[in-house]
Amino acid sequence: MARRASRQRRALSLFGREMLSTFTIEPPDVNWRQVQKRSCHLNIVTPVRTWRVPIWICCDRPNDPFLLLIGGQHGDEYQGCGILLEFLQTQWGRLHGNVIVIPEVNPPALEAGTRTSPLDGGNLNRAFPGRTGGTITEAIAHFISTEILPLVDFVVDIHSGGGALEVPPSVMTHYLPIAETFRETLSAMRATELPVSIVVDEGHKDGMLDTLVESQGKPFLCVEMGGGHLQARDIRLGLRMVENLIARRNPEMVAQHVADRPSVAPLLLEVPGPGHYVRASAGGLFFPAVAAGDTIRRGQTIGRLYPRDPTPGDSAVSITAPLDGVVYVVRVSVRVEPGDDLIIVAAPAHAALAGMWGT
Ligand SMILES: [Zn+2]
């Protein structure tokens, strides 16, 4: 954590806010609506350097909508970049269908290894729909919102727990008001063959790409592929997920399945409200007693919170599970602020939801 903070400060001193106020956006010179298979760049030109956002486009049918695959919104979550770059490296030649791939959508944050941009402090996944005349982070969001989203009818956004959280490899959606979109989303989640599918009520969703896409009535999958370290498992599961989702839309693209089919039946879970979130009541050090994916019982100790400035006689607070369930998210960055999520407990999905998912 300390190393990342010092990197962020160095980047800010290098670029300076006066420099960042004078940047220009150069969108790719591409006609999206023609048969093609090529890469291009969105360029963000500042007085000191140009940031390039690489974009791959495969278009077989100019009148059809695209599937959008996106990674690297948060700069400490490299799983999306790893999966999509590996997919492009190994599968680009045989790819069919209408697909846009943006594996490194937030280069300043990815280069710094920080969740937010070192240039302006912006959190890209809280900046949608973005705007012109704002920050670089807002400009990236604006480009995606205005140039890319009108072309697409399905979005897959790959994240992970980053440096702070551990999450099992999973695909997440929200409770959607349009039944047809919700059903299509759940069906696609099942098709990913990821070990866990989960439906979540997140509460605060302002500025998220999820929120924007869902407000347009389009299916959106948020993939959470593990924690802070990129594992071989993440790439394997991610490649199979991407192949499955493309093959589902494009029969010409027969999935080769780079990994064996799952030996354990996938789980459908849900987080239907705030009662499933365990948050820090005070700042301090949190030591979890459970891991992501563990089954837990109500009242079970799931961690201990030590006060920040303990004096002799102060004791740690035991944190207990508020209900039976499965640990969906656990904080592993140790130092916490009041209100931080410590654990998110998921419950098995209710029967109607499971039916829509495909069991
Ligand atoms: Zn993220």
Coordinates of all heavy atoms in Angstrom, one line a residue, residues 73-74 76-77 115 125 158-160 224, ligand 1:
Q73 N -10.2 -1.1 -15.8 CA -10.8 0.2 -15.3 C -10.1 0.6 -14.0 O -9.8 1.8 -13.9 CB -12.3 0.0 -15.0 CG -13.2 -0.1 -16.2 CD -14.5 0.7 -15.8 OE1 -14.5 1.9 -15.5 NE2 -15.6 -0.1 -15.8
H74 N -9.8 -0.3 -13.2 CA -9.0 0.0 -11.9 C -7.6 -0.5 -12.1 O -7.4 -1.6 -12.5 CB -9.7 -0.6 -10.7 CG -11.1 -0.1 -10.4 ND1 -12.2 -0.8 -10.2 CD2 -11.5 1.2 -10.4 CE1 -13.2 0.0 -9.9 NE2 -12.8 1.2 -10.1
D76 N -5.2 -1.4 -10.3 CA -4.6 -2.4 -9.5 C -5.3 -3.8 -9.7 O -5.2 -4.7 -8.9 CB -4.5 -2.1 -8.0 CG -5.9 -1.9 -7.4 OD1 -6.9 -1.7 -8.2 OD2 -6.1 -1.9 -6.1
E77 N -6.1 -3.8 -10.8 CA -6.8 -5.1 -11.1 C -6.4 -5.5 -12.5 O -7.0 -5.1 -13.5 CB -8.3 -4.8 -11.0 CG -8.7 -4.3 -9.6 CD -10.2 -3.8 -9.6 OE1 -10.9 -4.1 -10.5 OE2 -10.6 -3.2 -8.6
R115 N -5.7 2.0 -8.0 CA -7.1 1.9 -8.3 C -7.6 3.1 -9.1 O -8.3 3.0 -10.1 CB -7.9 1.7 -7.0 CG -9.4 1.6 -7.2 CD -10.1 1.3 -5.8 NE -11.5 1.4 -5.9 CZ -12.3 0.4 -6.3 NH1 -11.8 -0.7 -6.8 NH2 -13.6 0.5 -6.3
N125 N -14.5 4.0 -12.8 CA -15.8 3.3 -12.7 C -16.7 4.1 -11.8 O -17.7 3.5 -11.3 CB -15.6 1.9 -12.3 CG -16.9 1.0 -12.7 OD1 -17.5 1.4 -13.7 ND2 -17.2 0.0 -11.9
I158 N -14.3 -6.7 -16.8 CA -13.6 -7.6 -15.9 C -12.8 -6.8 -14.8 O -11.9 -6.0 -15.1 CB -12.6 -8.5 -16.7 CG1 -13.4 -9.2 -17.9 CG2 -12.0 -9.5 -15.8 CD1 -12.5 -10.0 -18.8
H159 N -13.1 -7.1 -13.6 CA -12.4 -6.5 -12.4 C -11.8 -7.6 -11.5 O -11.8 -8.8 -11.9 CB -13.5 -5.8 -11.6 CG -14.0 -4.5 -12.2 ND1 -13.7 -3.3 -11.8 CD2 -14.9 -4.4 -13.2 CE1 -14.3 -2.4 -12.5 NE2 -15.0 -3.0 -13.4
S160 N -11.3 -7.2 -10.4 CA -10.9 -8.2 -9.3 C -10.9 -7.4 -8.0 O -11.3 -6.2 -8.0 CB -9.5 -8.8 -9.6 OG -8.5 -7.8 -9.3
E224 N -15.6 -10.6 -11.4 CA -14.7 -10.3 -10.4 C -13.8 -11.6 -10.3 O -14.2 -12.6 -9.8 CB -15.4 -10.1 -9.0 CG -16.3 -8.9 -8.9 CD -15.5 -7.6 -8.8 OE1 -14.2 -7.7 -8.6 OE2 -16.1 -6.5 -8.8
Ligands
ZN1 ZN -12.6 -2.8 -10.1

